[in-house]
Amino acid sequence: MAAPMSRGRRGPEPGAAPYGNFPNYSRFHPPEGRVSLLPQGLLCSLFPAATRPLLGLDVGCNSGELSVALYQHLLGLQDSNSSPEPAGARKELKLLCCDIDPELIQKAQQSSPFPASISFANLDFMDSGAREPFLSSYLERFGRSSFDIGFCMSVTMWIHLNHGDRGLLEFLALLASLCTFLLVEPQPWRCYRAAARRLRRLGRDDFEHFRSLQINGNMAESITRILTQECAMELVCCFGSTSWDRSLLLFKSTSAHPEGSD
C-alpha cells in the first residue's frame, strides 16, 4: 500500500498525511522530548551480557531524526557530527528503520550520520508479502531470528485508523513476536479526533475505521492490556510522558527471545 500525500506547487498540504507521514514532523514533536526521558545506559542495563551487536527495529521512522537521536542516546554519543561510527561503544547497535513513505525514507538516507549502523527502508509494515521476506533477509545477515529492541513511536494511532481494531491487534502481536524489548509511544484518543478533523477540513474522506473502533478511550492502558494479556509481554517501565502528553512504555517479551544473541 502506497502512502498518498497531497503535494502541490507549494509543497505538502498541512495535515494531508493519512498514515502519519508528515514532512518535518520533528519540528513540532522534537526528538529531545522523547530521548530525554530515557535513562543513560539503558542498553547496558537491558542487555548486560550481550557480546554481539544488538539489533533494533524502528517502525514508522518518518525522515529519521528521532531514529538517529535514539541511536545516539542509547550509545551515549554526544555529537553525531564529530563522532565516527562508534566502534568503541560499550554496546554496538544495528538499527533498521522503516516507513511507508518513500520520500521520507529518501530524506533519511541522505541525511543519516551513521549509514553503517542505521539502515532506512521503505516498507509498509502491514503488508505481509513485503514485510516477511524483507525482515527475514535482514535478520539472516546477522544470523538472528528476532530483534533485541523495537521502537514504535507515535505509530499505533495510524495503524489503528487505517486498519481498524483487528489491524492494531495484528500490529502489536507482530512487534511482540519480533522483539525482546519494545518501546511504545501511543497517541492518546484526542489525537485520533484531531486527525479525523484535519482530514475533514481538507475535504478528504474520513478514516475508514474511525467511527467503528471498539478499542478507544485511554490508549496507553488499552495497548498495555493488549501487549500484556494477548501478546506475551510484560510492562517493564513507564519512563514518563512527553510535553505533548504521550507516555513512553517499555515492554519485555515473556516468551523465549534470547537477549543479545540467538
Side-chain angles (χ1 to χ4, degrees):
M1 178 169 56
M5 178 179 290
S6 299
R7 300 179 188 269
R9 292 179 182 177
R10 298 183 181 179
E13 293 181 8
Y19 297 96
N21 48 319
F22 296 101
N24 304 314
Y25 176 80
S26 62
R27 290 184 184 176
F28 50 96
H29 288 320
E32 295 77 13
R34 282 78 166 248
V35 298
S36 63
L37 296 174
L38 302 177
Q40 295 289 338
L42 179 61
L43 283 187
C44 289
S45 65
L46 297 181
F47 305 100
T51 56
R52 65 169 68 187
L54 298 171
L55 297 188
L57 174 66
D58 185 8
V59 179
C61 65
N62 198 267
S63 52
E65 289 89 350
L66 178 56
S67 308
V68 171
L70 284 167
Y71 177 83
Q72 291 176 277
H73 183 81
L74 291 171
L75 294 180
L77 303 178
Q78 299 300 315
D79 183 358
S80 63
N81 295 319
S82 62
S83 301
E85 295 296 323
R90 291 183 63 189
K91 298 296 180 186
E92 185 179 356
L93 176 64
K94 299 293 185 181
L95 184 58
L96 174 62
C97 310
C98 57
D99 196 273
I100 195 172
D101 191 314
E103 293 188 23
L104 293 176
I105 286 297
Q106 183 179 27
K107 180 181 177 183
Q109 292 169 336
Q110 292 171 346
S111 61
S112 175
F114 303 109
S117 298
I118 307 178
S119 302
F120 291 99
N122 176 216
L123 178 68
D124 179 356
F125 201 78
M126 298 301 287
D127 179 354
S128 60
R131 179 191 69 243
E132 292 177 6
F134 178 78
L135 294 183
S136 295
S137 175
Y138 182 86
L139 290 166
E140 286 171 4
R141 287 168 47 193
F142 299 93
R144 304 288 300 278
S145 61
S146 63
F147 293 88
D148 297 296
I149 188 165
F151 303 96
C152 179
M153 311 296 283
S154 288
V155 174
T156 51
M157 178 183 75
W158 303 110
I159 297 292
H160 202 186
L161 286 171
N162 286 286
H163 298 275
D165 289 336
R166 181 177 296 182
L168 178 64
L169 294 171
E170 176 189 348
F171 177 67
L172 294 174
L174 280 168
L175 291 178
S177 70
L178 284 167
C179 305
T180 300
F181 286 91
L182 178 62
L183 184 67
V184 184
E185 180 192 43
Q187 291 104 319
W189 186 252
R190 60 179 173 77
C191 293
Y192 285 66
R193 295 194 295 267
R197 285 196 301 270
R198 280 197 298 268
L199 282 192
R200 288 194 293 270
R201 283 200 301 266
L202 292 167
R204 303 279 293 273
D205 292 337
D206 205 350
F207 292 101
E208 178 183 356
H209 300 279
F210 176 57
R211 299 184 187 282
S212 62
L213 296 177
Q214 297 298 306
I215 303 171
N216 52 43
N218 189 321
M219 294 309 299
E221 286 187 2
S222 293
I223 286 171
T224 297
R225 177 186 56 77
I226 293 165
L227 286 171
T228 56
Q229 297 182 12
E230 302 180 35
C231 299
M233 301 201 91
E234 62 183 1
L235 179 63
V236 176
C237 182
C238 175
F239 293 115
S241 298
T242 64
S243 60
W244 51 94
D245 193 31
R246 298 185 191 179
S247 301
L248 286 187
L249 307 172
L250 181 67
F251 298 87
K252 179 182 179 182
S253 174
T254 58
S255 59
H257 281 299
E259 295 181 17
S261 62
D262 252 16

mmCIF file with all atom_site columns, all heavy atoms in Angstrom, residues 62 104 240:
data_model
loop_
_atom_site.group_PDB
_atom_site.id
_atom_site.type_symbol
_atom_site.label_atom_id
_atom_site.label_alt_id
_atom_site.label_comp_id
_atom_site.label_asym_id
_atom_site.label_entity_id
_atom_site.label_seq_id
_atom_site.pdbx_PDB_ins_code
_atom_site.Cartn_x
_atom_site.Cartn_y
_atom_site.Cartn_z
_atom_site.occupancy
_atom_site.B_iso_or_equiv
_atom_site.pdbx_formal_charge
_atom_site.auth_seq_id
_atom_site.auth_comp_id
_atom_site.auth_asym_id
_atom_site.auth_atom_id
_atom_site.pdbx_PDB_model_num
ATOM 1  N N   . ASN A 1 62  ? 9.525  7.892  9.918  1.00 0.00 ? 62  ASN A N   1
ATOM 2  C CA  . ASN A 1 62  ? 9.411  9.188  9.269  1.00 0.00 ? 62  ASN A CA  1
ATOM 3  C C   . ASN A 1 62  ? 10.735 9.498  8.550  1.00 0.00 ? 62  ASN A C   1
ATOM 4  O O   . ASN A 1 62  ? 11.279 8.630  7.886  1.00 0.00 ? 62  ASN A O   1
ATOM 5  C CB  . ASN A 1 62  ? 9.013  10.261 10.287 1.00 0.00 ? 62  ASN A CB  1
ATOM 6  C CG  . ASN A 1 62  ? 8.461  11.525 9.659  1.00 0.00 ? 62  ASN A CG  1
ATOM 7  O OD1 . ASN A 1 62  ? 9.200  12.467 9.408  1.00 0.00 ? 62  ASN A OD1 1
ATOM 8  N ND2 . ASN A 1 62  ? 7.162  11.553 9.397  1.00 0.00 ? 62  ASN A ND2 1
ATOM 9  N N   . LEU A 1 104 ? 10.096 10.259 2.486  1.00 0.00 ? 104 LEU A N   1
ATOM 10 C CA  . LEU A 1 104 ? 10.682 10.448 3.814  1.00 0.00 ? 104 LEU A CA  1
ATOM 11 C C   . LEU A 1 104 ? 11.894 9.543  4.007  1.00 0.00 ? 104 LEU A C   1
ATOM 12 O O   . LEU A 1 104 ? 12.899 9.954  4.610  1.00 0.00 ? 104 LEU A O   1
ATOM 13 C CB  . LEU A 1 104 ? 9.633  10.172 4.891  1.00 0.00 ? 104 LEU A CB  1
ATOM 14 C CG  . LEU A 1 104 ? 8.464  11.162 4.957  1.00 0.00 ? 104 LEU A CG  1
ATOM 15 C CD1 . LEU A 1 104 ? 7.451  10.718 6.002  1.00 0.00 ? 104 LEU A CD1 1
ATOM 16 C CD2 . LEU A 1 104 ? 8.961  12.572 5.257  1.00 0.00 ? 104 LEU A CD2 1
ATOM 17 N N   . GLY A 1 240 ? 7.650  8.000  31.854 1.00 0.00 ? 240 GLY A N   1
ATOM 18 C CA  . GLY A 1 240 ? 7.017  9.300  31.986 1.00 0.00 ? 240 GLY A CA  1
ATOM 19 C C   . GLY A 1 240 ? 6.351  9.704  30.693 1.00 0.00 ? 240 GLY A C   1
ATOM 20 O O   . GLY A 1 240 ? 6.189  8.906  29.773 1.00 0.00 ? 240 GLY A O   1
#
